[in-house]
Amino acid sequence: EVQLVESGGGLVQPGGSLRLSCAASGFTFNDYYMDWVRQAPGKGLEWVGRSGIKANRYTTEYAASVKGRFTISRDDSYNSLYLQMNSLKTEDTAVYYCTRGVGNWGQGTQVTVSS
Amino acid sequence: DIQMTQSPSSLSASVGDRVTITCRASQGITNDLGWYQQKPGKAPKRLIYAASSLESGVPSRFSGSGSGTEFTLTISSLQPEDFATYYCLQFHTYPFTFGPGTKVDIK
């Protein structure tokens, strides 16, 4: 069974940083593209970005709203995906979901950016 | 960026009704489209991938169709557990983009 478990969310001040983690199990992690998706309170879904696989040199893609501030990485030896979020803004407040190629989803982790 | 629109934005329906939701892309995306169901406080769940392929375990009353720029999600006979918000997602071109959602509630 595919399992994705996010962690690392919390309350952070504007301008601060936070690193989210996603622990994956139940599948061959290094074979799959992995994505982060977020949902602001009462709003729709927003794709944040994607990590490629070793075969494409772990190429990453990002939404314009986070490019230059967020960095996606992965560690295939630990079956883990990461989202480093810097220069956080209040509009980054959302539940952040880890997904296996926008197919399977984790339960999400809450990130709140507020002073 | 590819813009995704959905119609209607919300609908009220009764158990047993046939429900159709439409998703349109601002440019052609072949069949690179998925449909998701989200219930309050829960993570989204993918129902349909590649525009018309049913995810394993998803009831057959759900179906998807379309290609290019126009797509539909149909629920053939609405069940109580189907009241939720539905989103489409294009994964043809980066950045991937979701539709704004269609909320299905009880009439």
Side-chain angles (χ1 to χ4, degrees):
Chain A
E1 180 194 2
V2 172
Q3 288 202 342
L4 301 166
V5 180
E6 303 94 337
S7 60
L11 174 64
V12 61
Q13 292 188 337
S17 298
L18 208 57
R19 188 195 197 207
L20 305 184
S21 300
C22 171
S25 61
F27 63 101
T28 304
F29 181 75
N30 56 17
D31 284 347
Y32 285 86
Y33 290 78
M34 299 292 293
D35 300 84
W36 288 97
V37 176
R38 69 183 181 182
Q39 187 169 36
K43 303 297 185 182
L45 300 168
E46 180 186 18
W47 178 81
V48 171
R50 164 168 280 196
S51 167
I53 57 176
K54 186 176 181 180
N56 79 336
R57 302 182 183 180
Y58 301 111
T59 298
T60 51
E61 302 284 349
Y62 298 95
S65 58
V66 306
K67 198 167 186 177
R69 300 188 299 123
F70 289 12
T71 302
I72 296 173
S73 62
R74 63 192 291 160
D75 188 334
D76 289 348
S77 60
Y78 287 97
N79 291 346
S80 292
L81 179 74
Y82 305 101
L83 179 64
Q84 177 67 44
M85 303 184 293
N86 298 331
S87 304
L88 281 161
K89 306 175 182 180
T90 55
E91 53 263 40
D92 295 318
T93 294
V95 175
Y96 284 74
Y97 295 101
C98 167
T99 81
R100 186 184 77 162
V102 290
N104 302 88
W105 295 56
Q107 84 289 348
T109 188
Q110 175 70 49
V111 171
T112 302
V113 184
S114 174
S115 54
Chain B
D1 297 2
I2 296 176
Q3 309 303 316
M4 305 299 292
T5 58
Q6 284 183 236
S7 60
S9 56
S10 64
L11 66 90
S12 295
S14 301
V15 173
D17 283 353
R18 182 182 181 88
V19 169
T20 299
I21 299 169
T22 298
C23 178
R24 291 185 174 88
S26 60
Q27 58 188 271
I29 58 170
T30 63
N31 68 337
D32 294 335
L33 184 112
W35 287 100
Y36 299 79
Q37 177 193 66
Q38 188 179 32
K39 297 180 180 179
K42 300 294 187 182
K45 172 186 174 183
R46 190 166 67 179
L47 305 174
I48 302 284
Y49 64 96
S52 60
S53 297
L54 195 66
E55 283 282 355
S56 175
V58 172
S60 59
R61 63 181 178 273
F62 291 94
S63 64
S65 65
S67 67
T69 61
E70 187 158 333
F71 303 85
T72 60
L73 173 70
T74 299
I75 310 172
S76 60
S77 177
L78 198 66
Q79 298 300 301
E81 60 268 30
D82 301 336
F83 292 96
T85 300
Y86 294 84
Y87 296 91
C88 59
L89 166 71
Q90 71 81 18
F91 52 91
H92 182 74
T93 303
Y94 296 117
F96 296 168
T97 42
F98 286 91
T102 296
K103 185 175 181 181
V104 177
D105 61 22
I106 302 171
K107 181 183 279 185

